[in-house]
Structures are given as C-alpha cells and as structure tokens.
Amino acid sequence: MTDSILLTRPDDWHLHLRDGAALAYTVPATAATFARAIVMPNLRPPVTTVALAAEYRARILAEIPPGLRFEPLMTLYLTDVTPIAEVEAVANSDFVHAFKLYPAGATTNSDAGVTRLDPLYPLFEAMQTHDVPLLVHGEVTRPEVDIFDREARFIEESLAPLTQAFPALRMVFEHITTQAAVDFVLASGAHVAATITPQHLMHQRNDMLAGGIKPHLYCLPILKTRDDLAALAANLQRYTDTTVDVVGHT
C-alpha cells in the first residue's frame, strides 16, 4: 500500500502569456505548474512569422525562474496576407507548432484576423500537405448574428466546409462552448479535436444574467446554456485525449 500519488505534470493547450511586463507574472505562474503550453499569438502587433515567434519565445524563456523547466510551444497568427512560404517555415521549425485562425473582430487583438476563409484555401492545402495543425477560434462576427449563435453559425458556414475540403488537415476547435460543437467534433474523425476552458465547464449564461448582470462572468466565447455545459462536461476526457494526438505532442 502506498501513501503517495504521483501525478504527471500537465500541459496547457491554450495559453495567453501576453507580452512585455506581464511576462514577469504569467511565465513564472505557468512554469510552476505546467511542463509545456501552446502559446497564443494574438499580441499587438501579432506574431505572424517564425522570426517573430523566435523573438517572442526568447522573451518568454528569459522569464522562467531558475530551477523550473517549461517549454513554450509557439503558434503563428493567421492573416489574410500570410504567405504560403510561412507554412513551410513552420513545418521546418522545431519550436513553432501551428497556425491560429482568429476571425477578425472575434476576440482580444483579433482586428488583424481573417476576414474570409475562401481566399486562404491554398494556405490550408499547404498546411495539410506539410502536416501543420490549424487552431481555430470558431465564431462568426457579423453584427446581425446573435452572440449566442456565433459558434453554431461558424460550424455551419465555415468549419464544416473546411473539414470537407481538407479531410487530412489537423484542426483544433478552440474553447468550444456548445452541444453543436461537441456533436461536430465527435462526428469529424481523428483529425479534428477541441479544447475546453474551465469557465465553460463551471458556468452557464443564467449564472451571468439571472438576477442581475455579473460582469466578471462575461468572456468570449460567451457562456451558453445549461445543456451546452452538460455536453462539454460529458465529453471532457475524450476531448483531452484527442487534442494531444491532433496537436502532435505526447
């Protein structure tokens, strides 16, 4: 009989370290718990090239406290003008691991994000060819679409056609929030996975709105229904295992 339990040091599959003075706080806090992390590139200006990712990585590494080991797994911010050559540069890099797709206007520092997917299909084809994963913030941003429907509409209008066009492209549907996203990922096969954030497993929109607005529960993507939360919780373990396989780090 043992009196101790050994836990594997976890990885963080979706991390915003930000930049500048914030790194002195975010990097030590992360390195104290996590062995590795997928680092989001939505800085200002965004991290759009392998060269910029190398500079950002160096700033992160400089803030790791002595005695701690932490590996930042870098990503590039996809834009309407990302050159195909940058896909090959990522494929040949040993520290950049994926592209991140932000629809323009969807979240923090996303103003330089993608406005239309169709013109970027040659880039997605190159990612599929070079086995470079695509991480997707899955929301439409048109003002006429209800904020609670943005994820479901993105699946219908953008993500489903993308997976059909590029069935071998490894994709991670980031911070999913709805039953529709659960159903989509489960039906999409081994090349599509998802991440889930803690707030979407802890709260639903009644917590934010019933009895008065709780602004500290506002986040993007916005909280959804009780049934959506239940669907996320029921599939958490399956998503965790699949995401590791899709991103390509074990």
Side-chain angles (χ1 to χ4, degrees):
M1 183 174 180
T2 181
D3 59 0
S4 64
I5 298 175
L6 180 63
L7 298 177
T8 301
R9 194 171 179 213
D11 296 325
D12 187 331
W13 294 106
H14 184 116
L15 177 65
H16 293 275
L17 290 171
R18 305 308 182 192
D19 204 0
L23 293 179
Y25 301 94
T26 58
V27 174
T30 300
T33 300
F34 296 99
R36 301 173 298 180
I38 298 288
V39 179
M40 296 295 110
N42 57 329
L43 306 183
R44 192 179 294 275
V47 180
T48 55
T49 67
V50 170
L52 289 173
E55 295 174 4
Y56 184 30
R57 181 174 181 269
R59 296 195 295 275
I60 294 169
L61 294 176
E63 299 295 343
I64 299 174
L68 291 179
R69 290 193 303 169
F70 171 68
E71 182 183 1
L73 307 173
M74 310 306 292
T75 63
L76 297 191
Y77 187 117
L78 190 66
T79 75
D80 287 342
V81 294
T82 298
I84 289 181
E86 205 63 41
V87 177
E88 185 172 355
V90 170
N92 293 328
S93 170
D94 59 359
F95 60 89
V96 180
H97 297 272
F99 278 89
K100 178 64 182 287
L101 189 163
Y102 293 101
T107 188
T108 304
N109 294 341
S110 61
D111 48 298
V114 171
T115 57
R116 287 181 55 210
L117 293 191
D118 290 359
L120 299 184
Y121 269 36
L123 278 173
F124 300 138
E125 183 174 6
M127 291 179 202
Q128 179 174 257
T129 299
H130 291 285
D131 196 27
V132 173
L134 176 66
L135 316 182
V136 181
H137 181 118
E139 293 186 287
V140 300
T141 58
R142 299 191 306 278
E144 69 271 16
V145 177
D146 188 284
I147 191 170
F148 293 104
D149 296 333
R150 286 180 171 185
E151 186 173 275
R153 289 286 292 273
F154 185 87
I155 294 169
E156 176 185 348
E157 297 176 7
S158 299
L159 203 55
L162 188 61
T163 56
Q164 291 168 8
F166 305 101
L169 175 60
R170 289 190 290 155
M171 281 187 270
V172 178
F173 194 171
E174 296 280 18
H175 42 59
I176 62 171
T177 65
T178 61
Q179 175 76 64
V182 170
D183 294 342
F184 175 80
V185 175
L186 292 179
S188 294
H191 283 85
V192 179
T195 59
I196 308 174
T197 51
Q199 62 267 30
H200 296 107
L201 293 168
M202 296 170 62
H203 299 289
Q204 41 93 12
R205 64 189 185 188
N206 276 4
D207 299 326
M208 179 177 63
L209 298 172
I213 296 175
K214 305 358 177 256
H216 58 288
L217 291 181
Y218 177 81
C219 59
L220 293 174
I222 201 164
L223 299 174
K224 302 303 193 306
T225 69
R226 185 182 302 275
D227 289 343
D228 290 319
L229 186 155
L232 298 178
N235 289 278
L236 177 59
Q237 184 59 51
R238 184 169 185 175
Y239 280 130
T240 302
D241 294 341
T242 308
T243 301
V244 173
D245 293 339
V246 169
V247 175
H249 303 281
T250 57

